[in-house]
Each structure stands twice: as structure tokens, then as C-alpha cells.
């Protein structure tokens, strides 16, 4: 744990002549620190190395700092900011929902039942909350991808006016949807202020017939498909019952 490090990118310091110099860390640096569970999680895991020549004193000669090793932080303030949902992308072909946040999140804390898709930004009349079967295998980071379970996908497809195009695809999350690396719950994205997906891919894959059941007494033929189909489009004249698997007879 003592060897965990992050090398800062070229950021900037406040242009002052002082004993104290404040360095503005770039967001990528902050995110790298947050993703490292062995670094910067407490005062005990936060030490600073300053390489030789990092700064000069006020002398006309510009005396440079020699290397400074193992500087302990005297003040440590933990991350207390909730991660915010910034972007969502829905792919009905790949059956995925990608969510991007303002900071790295702990994907082991993702609770799919706290994530919903609705048909309007301020109206949940048409909506679906995912089941626990919808899950992610993404690593910790600013983005994770939900693999939409088949029952959830079929329900999305069944509800007309929902997730048919970008215009009726909005995402809401409850605080329990995910936590950041410090354990802060996500900022809620309520049903009255849902986030429209920035990218939408339509379902362009044809359904496949999975099985058929024939009840001769009830005069009923039941067809089972691999996804939700629009029953009103069925053309019964294109159905044929054969006596063999070869399709003859």
C-alpha cells in the first residue's frame, strides 16, 4: 500500500510569492487518485514527494528546491461529494445502457433496480425500472455499462411510446443506484427532471421463432419468439403446418 503513487500531469499553481503554494489538480489526476483504493483515502495513505527543481525561492539566483521525500499531509479532507449522472446512451441492438458520471464510481455498488427508463423528461407515466437481472461487469471508473436482461428488454419493447427513439428515452436514478469510491451515494436524477439519452440505437435485429405449441382440441397454435413481437402484424397465411422437419408433407 505504501508504494501506491500517482504522477501528476502539468497543472498550475496560484501565481503568488508565499511560503504556501496551492496547486490546482487536474480532474484526471483527481480521478486517478480516487480510483486507487490504496492512495489518498486517509492522512495515513497520503504522502508527497517533490522532485528536485520543482520550485525556486525568491533569490535572484533562483535557488531550486532539492528533492523532498515522504512529506506527510497535515490536513486531509475526505471526498464528500456525490457523483452526478452526466450522460446516458441506450443501444437496443446491443441491449446495453451506458451511464457516465462526474467522478469514478464503485461498480460493485450498482443497484439496477434504482435505475429507470421513462418516456418523457418530466413524466413517468411510461417507465420501466430495471430488475436485478440487469447488471454490469464494468470495472470501476467514470462510466459503466448495464447489460439489459432479456425480461427487461422485452418489457421495454412491449411498452409503446418508451425507448423507441431518442425522443422518448430518458433515464432517472435514485441515490442507491451507485456509490463513488469513497462511499458517497449518487445524486438523484428524479422523474421530474430525467436525463435524455445522448445516443440511441434502434433495435434493427429481426425476431427469431423459438418454438411452437399446437392444441388440437382448443384449435390454438401458440408461437414463441426470442423477443417481443407486435401480434397485430401476424400474417396467418404465411404459417404452414408440416408433417416433417424438412418442411414437406
Amino acid at each position: 500500500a505504501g508504494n501506491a503513487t500517482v504522477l501528476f500531469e502539468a497543472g498550475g499553481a496560484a501565481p503568488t510569492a508565499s511560503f504556501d503554494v496551492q496547486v490546482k489538480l487536474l480532474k484526471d489526476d483527481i480521478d486517478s487518485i480516487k480510483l486507487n483504493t490504496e492512495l489518498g483515502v486517509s492522512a495515513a495513505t497520503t504522502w508527497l514527494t517533490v522532485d528536485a527543481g520543482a520550485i525556486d525561492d525568491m533569490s535572484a539566483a533562483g535557488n531550486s528546491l532539492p528533492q523532498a521525500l515522504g512529506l506527510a499531509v497535515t490536513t486531509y479532507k475526505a471526498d464528500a461529494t456525490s457523483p452526478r449522472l452526466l450522460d446516458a446512451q441506450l443501444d437496443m441492438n446491443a441491449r446495453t445502457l451506458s451511464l457516465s458520471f462526474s467522478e469514478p464510481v464503485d461498480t460493485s455498488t450498482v443497484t439496477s433496480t434504482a435505475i429507470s427508463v421513462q418516456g418523457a423528461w418530466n413524466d413517468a407515466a411510461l417507465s420501466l425500472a430495471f430488475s436485478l437481472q440487469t447488471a454490469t461487469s464494468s470495472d470501476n471508473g467514470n462510466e459503466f455499462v448495464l447489460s439489459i436482461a432479456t425480461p427487461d428488454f422485452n418489457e421495454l419493447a412491449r411498452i409503446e411510446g418508451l425507448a423507441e427513439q431518442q425522443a422518448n428515452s430518458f433515464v432517472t436514478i435514485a441515490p442507491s443506484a451507485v456509490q463513488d469510491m469513497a462511499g458517497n451515494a449518487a445524486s438523484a436524477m428524479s422523474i421530474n427532471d430525467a436525463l435524455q439519452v445522448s445516443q440511441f440505437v434502434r433495435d434493427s435485429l429481426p425476431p427469431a421463432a423459438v418454438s411452437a405449441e399446437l392444441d388440437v382440441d382448443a384449435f390454438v397454435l401458440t408461437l414463441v419468439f426470442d423477443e417481443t413481437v407486435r401480434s397485430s402484424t401476424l400474417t396467418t397465411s404465411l404459417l404452414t403446418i408440416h408433417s416433417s422437419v424438412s418442411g414437406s408433407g
Side-chain angles (χ1 to χ4, degrees):
N3 293 326
T5 61
V6 167
L7 178 63
F8 296 140
E9 298 179 19
T16 60
S18 173
F19 290 101
D20 301 325
V21 176
Q22 290 189 344
V23 178
K24 181 69 173 179
L25 301 183
L26 299 178
K27 185 179 185 304
D28 286 347
D29 289 333
I30 290 293
D31 286 351
S32 294
I33 293 172
K34 290 181 177 181
L35 277 171
N36 193 328
T37 58
E38 298 180 336
L39 177 65
V41 295
S42 66
T45 59
T46 309
W47 299 79
L48 181 66
T49 293
V50 184
D51 287 340
I55 196 168
D56 296 341
D57 66 12
M58 297 298 295
S59 168
N63 301 309
S64 296
L65 179 80
Q67 187 181 44
L69 300 174
L71 294 177
V73 297
T74 56
T75 302
Y76 176 87
K77 184 177 180 181
D79 174 16
T81 303
S82 295
R84 293 177 292 106
L85 179 62
L86 300 180
D87 185 65
Q89 301 178 13
L90 180 60
D91 189 331
M92 294 295 281
N93 260 346
R95 301 187 180 186
T96 59
L97 177 66
S98 301
L99 301 179
S100 298
F101 289 83
S102 57
E103 62 174 298
V105 294
D106 182 352
T107 54
S108 70
T109 67
V110 172
T111 304
S112 54
T113 53
I115 302 171
S116 301
V117 176
Q118 63 186 49
W121 74 271
N122 62 346
D123 188 352
L126 300 177
S127 65
L128 174 73
F130 292 112
S131 69
L132 289 175
Q133 291 177 273
T134 289
T136 183
S137 59
S138 299
D139 294 331
N140 298 336
N142 293 61
E143 177 185 80
F144 65 82
V145 179
L146 283 176
S147 296
I148 302 174
T150 296
D152 290 341
F153 174 82
N154 285 332
E155 186 63 9
L156 272 180
R158 185 191 68 80
I159 302 174
E160 297 190 56
L162 177 63
E164 298 169 332
Q165 54 187 320
Q166 184 182 17
N168 56 22
S169 299
F170 295 79
V171 175
T172 66
I173 63 170
S176 58
V178 70
Q179 297 176 7
D180 68 10
M181 301 301 295
N184 298 305
S187 294
M189 186 71 69
S190 72
I191 61 175
N192 296 317
D193 190 24
L195 179 68
Q196 186 175 30
V197 300
S198 63
Q199 292 188 31
F200 179 88
V201 178
R202 293 176 182 271
D203 175 16
S204 61
L205 302 177
V210 175
S211 63
E213 300 176 3
L214 178 62
D215 187 329
V216 177
D217 285 334
F219 303 101
V220 174
L221 174 65
T222 302
L223 303 176
V224 179
F225 297 87
D226 67 343
E227 64 174 289
T228 304
V229 294
R230 193 181 300 276
S231 58
S232 62
T233 66
L234 178 65
T235 303
T236 55
S237 61
L238 297 178
L239 304 178
T240 305
I241 296 178
H242 298 275
S243 60
S244 67
V245 70
S246 64
S248 60

